[in-house]
DNA sequence: GTGAAAGCGCTAACAG
DNA sequence: CTGTTAGCGCTTTCAC
């Protein structure tokens, strides 16, 4: 049987309580007692029982991380940032994926609550209805949203400014003389898309240019989307000299299609991603706007 | 105060025990009682306390996942596989990163044990000494190693056959007529490298060719490594018509360097990765050997 | 400085 | 089918 406080107490002749205090570095314990007990604990290979401990104490030092898709490099970089910070703070992470389904998200959060997490970091699924708002509002623990903004929970959100980011992208492209920019935006109902579309429109307005709606597409944001979109555009003989993508993954798909069609980057077509994944800096010319809530995320 | 069994018991007039049984779908409870209790539980928004529960029951339905670096796409795809399976089985995942440090790994595992995980899935850090072997051997819960093989724990390892994989890569390249193949292998002391090097040598032997040691490099396996290695090779005027990489990430670095040097892929130089990341299929010609323990990993 | 006792919310063993 | 009792390993009063 694995050693417990009682084992150590009996072995040293002190009370369970004293042992517990020593092991938690409580003050008002004599140096000597502390030494004796600690060495005994070591000898017995004592491993504290965090379960029993969090039964009595108010917190579990655990946070729940709800990710939409942890194999998506963007999310996994964010998760890594969280992980580092959590580590530093002595917290553990419970992680789960929702695959962009709100039901799964709700289920997962309930599981986390049942495990008494001290806080939640949520990368919310697309969908946001009355019900979801109410659900979030009812959460009994602190929570933050990462990467996406949910109506009514502004103060709970950590994000970089999508509007500014996309405006800068378009300002840059327009400044480079591009007049036909293929814009592969994201899913219509999420905050990032809405914000970025605003930024895009702003840049056009500033430059006094009209927007060609035929060049704008709202896509889920996977690699295939970028690939297909450019293929289609080329097939339909759409003219464009630049492509602005919703994220770096889409950009990769775009680049693949362009190179298959013997178009060079950036000479024939300029491509811009979004997110600045670890990868992106090592890809063929792919300018990307940085979006790294990564380390900002460590305090739930 | 959050509802507990006692709350429901008092509200319905049944005993705590009966409530507990109903909520765990224990047999031998009348339909009627069950209905009453369940609806009351619903009404009160009862969320079971998994902590208290695992205090008594032998398992916590939690597994610990020890990853070397969860922002590395290979690991994150594996983790995603685990996550899906865990989900299916009703397990939760505690995740931590070791950054390839064995001390961190040991620390992390202890933390997981302290949280009473039912099992561990470990992507072990490079280093493997006597001490580590002993440490693994002393683990009081079931564990498996994913992706890497540790001496003495063959039966605990889940991996695809590195030797065969690399042999096939070289067979293919040699078959294509390549006689100067730059081989960017992995860190010397890990099992994958050793196995793959064996496979490489085997392919050369089969073909009756000598191995040019100047074309073989053992690198940590990051993107920069591939990038730098090819740059160096070109600077030193090393001749090569193909590059075999330790993983797809290295291959990306390689491709970047080649294209900066105006070498076309695969006309001038053929590039082969390893791992077959989600990405890879969408990159410019990058043949990759598949390595997906992902779903195999779900039973700890 | 240290110890004794109570109890966290739940499950399991034993009754009936 | 349901209730009573005990106790998981720890932290927290409250004593002395």
């Amino acid at each position: 049987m694995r050693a417990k406080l009682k084992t150590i107490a009996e072995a040293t002749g002190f009370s369970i309580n004293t042992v517990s205090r020593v092991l938690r570095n409580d003050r008002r314990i004599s140096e000597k007692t502390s030494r004796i007990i600690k060495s005994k604990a070591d000898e017995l290979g004592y491993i504290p029982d965090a379960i029993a401990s969090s039964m009595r104490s108010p917190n579990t030092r655990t946070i729940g991380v709800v990710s939409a898709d942890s194999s998506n490099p963007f999310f996994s970089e964010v998760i890594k940032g969280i992980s580092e910070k959590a580590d530093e703070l002595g917290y553990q992470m419970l992680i789960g994926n929702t695959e962009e389904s709100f039901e799964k998200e709700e289920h997962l959060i309930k599981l986390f609550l049942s495990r008494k997490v001290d806080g939640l970091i949520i990368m919310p699924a697309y969908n946001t209805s009355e019900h979801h708002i109410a659900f979030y509002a009812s959460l009994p623990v602190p929570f933050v949203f990462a990467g996406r903004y949910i109506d009514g929970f502004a103060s709970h959100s950590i994000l970089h400014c999508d509007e500014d980011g996309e405006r800068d992208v378009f300002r840059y492209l327009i400044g480079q003389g591009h007049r036909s920019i293929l814009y592969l935006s994201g899913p219509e109902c999420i905050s990032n898309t809405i914000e970025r579309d605003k930024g895009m429109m702003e840049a056009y307005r500033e430059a006094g240019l009209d927007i060609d709606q035929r060049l704008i597409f709202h896509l889920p944001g996977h690699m295939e989307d970028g690939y297909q979109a450019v293929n289609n555009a080329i097939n339909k003989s759409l003219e464009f000299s630049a492509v602005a993508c919703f994220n770096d993954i889409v950009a990769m798909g775009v680049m693949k299609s362009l190179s298959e069609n013997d178009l060079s980057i950036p000479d024939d077509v300029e491509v811009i991603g979004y997110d600045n994944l670890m990868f992106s800096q090592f890809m063929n010319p792919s300018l990307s706007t940085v979006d790294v809530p990564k380390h900002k995320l460590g305090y739930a």
Side-chain angles (χ1 to χ4, degrees), chain A:
Chain A
M1 192 203 55
R2 154 173 175 169
K4 28 186 211 174
L5 291 188
K6 195 173 168 209
T7 324
I8 301 176
E10 279 163 0
T12 57
F14 287 95
S15 75
I16 294 182
N17 189 335
T18 304
V19 176
S20 166
R21 284 210 189 91
V22 167
L23 266 22
R24 271 176 300 127
N25 295 313
D26 193 304
R27 329 224 146 286
R28 50 179 208 179
I29 289 283
S30 80
E31 261 305 315
K32 191 166 148 241
T33 311
S34 174
R35 250 201 328 280
I36 297 175
I37 292 182
K38 276 188 174 157
S39 84
K40 198 58 166 184
D42 239 36
E43 183 191 326
L44 295 173
Y46 173 71
I47 298 179
D49 183 332
I51 300 278
S53 157
S54 45
M55 184 93 199
R56 286 298 268 148
S57 42
N59 53 26
T60 54
R61 300 197 77 72
T62 307
I63 59 169
V65 177
V66 180
S67 138
D69 173 3
S70 67
S71 75
N72 174 326
F74 174 73
F75 289 122
S76 56
E77 289 193 28
V78 172
I79 289 180
K80 179 150 189 220
I82 299 173
S83 152
E84 278 168 20
K85 197 72 190 169
D87 205 42
E88 226 176 286
L89 269 45
Y91 275 74
Q92 306 269 284
M93 277 190 319
L94 232 22
I95 293 194
N97 281 312
T98 64
E99 312 301 343
E100 299 284 6
S101 136
F102 184 80
E103 275 119 73
K104 277 205 176 186
E105 183 176 314
E106 189 170 339
H107 178 67
L108 200 55
I109 291 179
K110 282 188 182 150
L111 283 176
F112 284 167
L113 289 179
S114 137
R115 286 204 143 79
K116 295 261 191 67
V117 296
D118 293 343
L120 289 164
I121 299 184
I122 307 170
M123 320 202 199
Y126 289 157
N127 206 336
T128 38
S129 73
E130 288 288 323
H131 172 69
H132 309 149
I133 308 289
F135 177 68
Y136 291 133
S138 77
L139 292 180
V141 298
F143 60 99
V144 291
F145 295 114
R148 287 179 195 154
Y149 168 90
I150 302 284
D151 269 339
F153 293 100
S155 62
H156 286 267
S157 299
I158 294 178
L159 14 77
H160 105 297
C161 186
D162 284 296
E163 185 174 344
D164 295 351
E166 201 68 60
R167 194 187 52 228
D168 292 347
V169 168
F170 275 85
R171 265 189 196 154
Y172 165 81
L173 288 174
I174 292 171
Q176 294 288 304
H178 293 289
R179 287 300 173 267
S180 312
I181 304 169
L182 189 60
Y183 178 38
L184 306 182
S185 188
E188 310 218 39
C189 52
I190 70 173
S191 66
N192 315 65
T193 302
I194 297 164
E195 296 296 313
R196 292 196 204 164
D197 287 2
K198 263 192 230 158
M200 177 267 302
M201 289 189 270
E202 223 172 289
Y204 275 115
R205 190 169 45 239
E206 278 174 16
L209 297 170
D210 283 340
I211 298 176
D212 184 346
Q213 293 293 344
R214 290 170 313 160
L215 291 173
I216 298 183
F217 297 88
H218 288 98
L219 310 168
H222 305 297
M223 207 164 337
E224 307 85 72
D225 299 324
Y227 180 72
Q228 302 261 359
V230 171
N231 276 349
N232 289 342
I234 292 175
N235 285 341
K236 289 195 286 183
S237 310
L238 267 183
E239 298 276 326
F240 59 91
S241 60
V243 188
C245 306
F246 187 64
N247 61 39
D248 289 357
I249 313 285
V250 169
M252 291 177 90
V254 167
M255 287 161 67
K256 165 142 170 121
S257 166
L258 290 176
S259 90
E260 283 179 9
N261 285 285
D262 289 321
L263 291 167
S264 104
I265 305 165
D267 297 340
D268 297 327
V269 178
E270 184 149 8
V271 179
I272 299 216
Y274 209 109
D275 282 352
N276 196 19
L277 299 182
M278 177 187 87
F279 287 97
S280 312
Q281 54 183 318
F282 264 86
M283 305 276 309
N284 281 342
S286 149
L287 227 183
S288 327
T289 337
V290 195
D291 176 12
V292 205
K294 287 174 38 170
H295 287 94
K296 271 195 190 165
L297 282 165
Y299 39 95

